[in-house]
Amino acid sequence: MTNTASVPQLTLNNGVEIPALGLGVFQTPPDETVAAVVTALDLGYRHIDTAAAYGNEREVGQALRRFLDRTGLARSEVFVETKVWITDYGYDQTLHAFDKSAGKLGLDQLDLLILHQPLPGEFDLTVEAYRALETLLADGRVRAIGVSNFMPDHLSALLARATVVPAVNQIEVHPYFRQSELLALGAEHGIVSQAWSPIGGITFYRDGSRGSTLADPVIGEIARAHGKTPAQVMLRWHLQQGRQVIPKSVTPSRIAENLDVFDFELTDDQLGAVDALDTGVRGGPEPEQITREAFAYEIPEA
Ligand code: NDP
């Protein structure tokens, strides 16, 4: 069931190409990760987004090897992204965090390595971690580097001290939380915005009290007009606005559905109608309040 129709690529600010759509594996249990990732790769996904903190890098690596061995495709065909957790921030610690992640993934080189969160109360430490990413990039251990959950102030503070402009900022973006100012700042600096919870998972898998994007009537009406699903409409909305998306699913039919978004186009009015759903209310943790004390889990050795 391999899908040969390829996903379009986005070009990062250092010339490296990343598929516009990949598979996220946050909350994918380790014992379900190999199956989800192999299913996705068989269908035609060529980007996997994991993180040291997700506890499933080893299984992502197993899935990748299984797929490459079976198909004979080259390692370079699949874009692998992971994230350094905040307990591993600091120059030497972050260099070692690369060894831990690469070891679990079974890879010598990662396509994209990003800082999972800023530590606003320990920004010097965050910058030291970023300097380690710059070293890993210069040494060819990673092909691109970036950040996640950096708000405008954090991004500006980093840009003032960094040598390498981050290639991506992975941030919460879905119809109920658009972060337009942050998207504009990213665009101004050539930073690709990667949308996490792109179909609004955070609006329904934790606390659905403020409504689920999947059940939104405006999105539902647009979906019906195209003979598509709400999830597909949301993914199209991101893609047509230049964002990279990493929908997560462990369900084969949904993994397939989320990839089947390259045969229709939203009109400007439909894009605007989705934009207008923004509530300005974040679903995930407030980045300004992230501390190592509050999220103190240790990342195991490879
Ligand atoms: P998503 O918006 O991808 O939603 C995932 C949820 O939606 C799951 O419950 C999944 O269920 C369900 N789902 C998937 N596809 C469909 C569909 N077509 N129809 C109906 N339901 C569907 O949210 P996530 O928060 O998981 O974000 C995606 C990825 O972003 C993560 O996996 C991770 O890689 C990244 N992320 C990064 C963060 C960061 O801080 N940098 C924070 C959060 C996420 P099921 O699996 O049961 O099918």
Side-chain angles (χ1 to χ4, degrees), residues 214-236:
L214 284 176
D216 186 275
V218 171
I219 296 170
E221 192 183 315
I222 296 171
R224 274 190 296 281
H226 287 280
K228 289 286 183 175
T229 67
Q232 290 172 323
V233 166
M234 289 187 262
L235 294 171
R236 235 9 263 181

Side-chain angles (χ1 to χ4, degrees), residues 22-29 32 45 48-51 54 81 83 85 114-117 147-149 170-174 194-206 213-214 229-232 234-235 238 245-258 284-285:
L23 180 77
V25 294
F26 172 47
Q27 303 183 116
T28 300
E32 294 179 44
Y45 285 70
I48 309 297
D49 175 68
T50 183
Y54 297 169
E81 171 173 4
K83 316 183 185 81
W85 187 241
I114 67 178
L115 300 185
H116 207 141
Q117 300 277 353
V147 295
S148 176
N149 297 308
Q170 185 178 124
I171 51 177
E172 179 182 346
V173 189
H174 49 73
Q194 291 191 294
W196 70 249
S197 268
I199 64 167
I202 194 86
T203 68
F204 56 84
Y205 60 55
R206 289 250 166 90
T213 48
L214 284 176
T229 67
Q232 290 172 323
M234 289 187 262
L235 294 171
H238 290 291
V245 287
I246 42 174
K248 173 265 178 185
S249 180
V250 294
T251 313
S253 59
R254 289 172 170 175
I255 296 173
E257 176 184 322
N258 295 342

Side-chain angles (χ1 to χ4, degrees), residues 56-114:
N56 56 19
E57 286 175 314
R58 210 177 292 284
E59 290 76 15
V60 169
Q62 284 168 10
L64 178 63
R65 268 188 306 285
R66 191 175 294 181
F67 173 74
L68 296 180
D69 286 350
R70 177 161 45 74
T71 59
L73 289 174
R75 154 72 186 96
S76 57
E77 291 289 322
V78 183
F79 192 101
V80 178
E81 171 173 4
T82 193
K83 316 183 185 81
V84 180
W85 187 241
I86 52 179
T87 43
D88 281 333
Y89 283 10
Y91 186 78
D92 291 334
Q93 293 89 330
T94 301
L95 288 180
H96 185 57
F98 167 85
D99 293 333
K100 291 198 274 187
S101 286
K104 289 173 195 163
L105 286 159
L107 300 173
D108 298 327
Q109 187 192 49
L110 304 180
D111 296 290
L112 177 57
L113 184 61
I114 67 178

